[in-house]
Amino acid sequence: MEAHLRLSLASYPVISFGTGSLVRLPGPSITQPNVYPFNVISYDQMYSELSAKDARLYRANGLLTMLERNRGVKFAPERWQDWPVGKPRLEKYKADKGSRGSEGGVVDIVITCEERCWDAVVDNLLERGSPLNRPVHVINVDIKDNHEEGLIGGSAILELADSLNAAAREERERNGEGGWADGTGDARMGFDQRVPEILAEWQERWPNLAALWTLAWF
């Protein structure tokens, strides 16, 4: 969610997802997590429920602070596998940070922060069968799940987004906008070919953040 916040504050269109079957948050013990369904329970509801259960515990372990941040970013956690790609995202998501520009329900870049999530996204794209025949770059930036590493990772992902965006702008200026919105055309082809090189240059600047990449299809 830190990356979602950073990218949205930089005026990038952003949609964020989880890939698990349920939202699992720390509970009073390792065998008693707080479990919620995706796409239904809002961050506000989670915050209120956990505050009522044990505000001292969940404030001390940072969970309420995290939920405070999350509810300021988007309404509720969404699950990648449930996302109807290409379906317009309208009123329900209008207040989410980064919603402007993502209304069409498609993206050009997917960034995950754990290798298992990257695997889940790539596998799911294969299962979908490419109904839109639209290319999408799937990149993993491996970030440890803690506050400090999240801040570092958020900065690194924003820098990567800036590099990718600059290349996309250069290709559109050189080759025109034709087909870009549909994931086709000379500009898009030129951009797609440059992504591995851009990622390699970024990796040299962030050697402690292991990265994976593949070109997949919606």
Side-chain angles (χ1 to χ4, degrees):
M1 194 62 75
E2 181 65 29
H4 182 142
L5 179 59
R6 292 288 188 93
L7 290 168
S8 65
L9 291 176
S11 299
Y12 285 109
V14 190
I15 313 172
S16 59
F17 300 93
T19 58
S21 57
L22 293 164
V23 179
R24 291 180 171 84
L25 302 177
S29 73
I30 195 169
T31 60
Q32 296 175 289
N34 291 286
V35 179
Y36 299 96
F38 278 103
N39 312 316
V40 177
I41 305 298
S42 71
Y43 285 116
D44 262 336
Q45 289 172 284
M46 295 179 195
Y47 182 91
S48 297
E49 181 179 309
L50 296 179
S51 294
K53 281 184 176 180
D54 193 334
R56 179 180 293 181
L57 170 64
Y58 295 121
R59 180 65 66 185
N61 69 7
L63 189 51
L64 291 181
T65 301
M66 182 193 76
L67 291 172
E68 282 178 348
R69 178 202 63 188
N70 290 1
R71 68 181 181 172
V73 174
K74 62 182 297 177
F75 174 72
E78 298 176 72
R79 185 171 181 262
W80 168 272
Q81 292 88 338
D82 300 329
W83 177 32
V85 178
K87 181 179 179 180
R89 296 170 60 85
L90 302 175
E91 291 303 318
K92 182 178 179 181
Y93 307 100
K94 195 172 182 180
D96 290 0
K97 290 188 182 300
S99 62
R100 186 174 182 181
S102 65
E103 297 92 344
V106 292
V107 297
D108 297 313
I109 307 290
V110 174
I111 299 177
T112 62
C113 298
E114 290 183 71
E115 188 171 343
R116 65 177 181 84
C117 296
W118 186 84
D119 288 339
V121 167
V122 173
D123 287 348
N124 179 255
L125 287 170
L126 289 171
E127 291 170 4
R128 290 177 186 249
S130 309
L132 303 183
N133 196 32
R134 181 188 177 99
V136 57
H137 296 270
V138 187
I139 299 168
N140 184 69
V141 177
D142 214 37
I143 300 172
K144 293 180 181 177
D145 191 14
N146 61 60
H147 179 68
E148 182 179 351
E149 294 295 328
L151 292 176
I152 294 170
S155 297
I157 287 172
L158 177 58
E159 184 182 306
L160 177 58
D162 287 340
S163 297
L164 292 167
N165 191 49
R169 183 172 57 249
E170 290 168 6
E171 291 299 326
R172 292 197 301 270
E173 290 173 352
R174 181 182 300 121
N175 295 300
E177 298 277 351
W180 182 271
D182 299 318
T184 62
D186 291 342
R188 180 57 194 259
M189 185 179 299
F191 170 74
D192 290 341
Q193 292 172 347
R194 291 177 63 180
V195 169
E197 179 182 345
I198 293 167
L199 184 59
E201 292 172 353
W202 173 90
Q203 184 75 88
E204 290 180 1
R205 298 191 296 273
W206 298 89
N208 294 326
L209 296 176
L212 293 170
W213 164 84
T214 191
L215 179 63
W217 302 83
F218 278 134

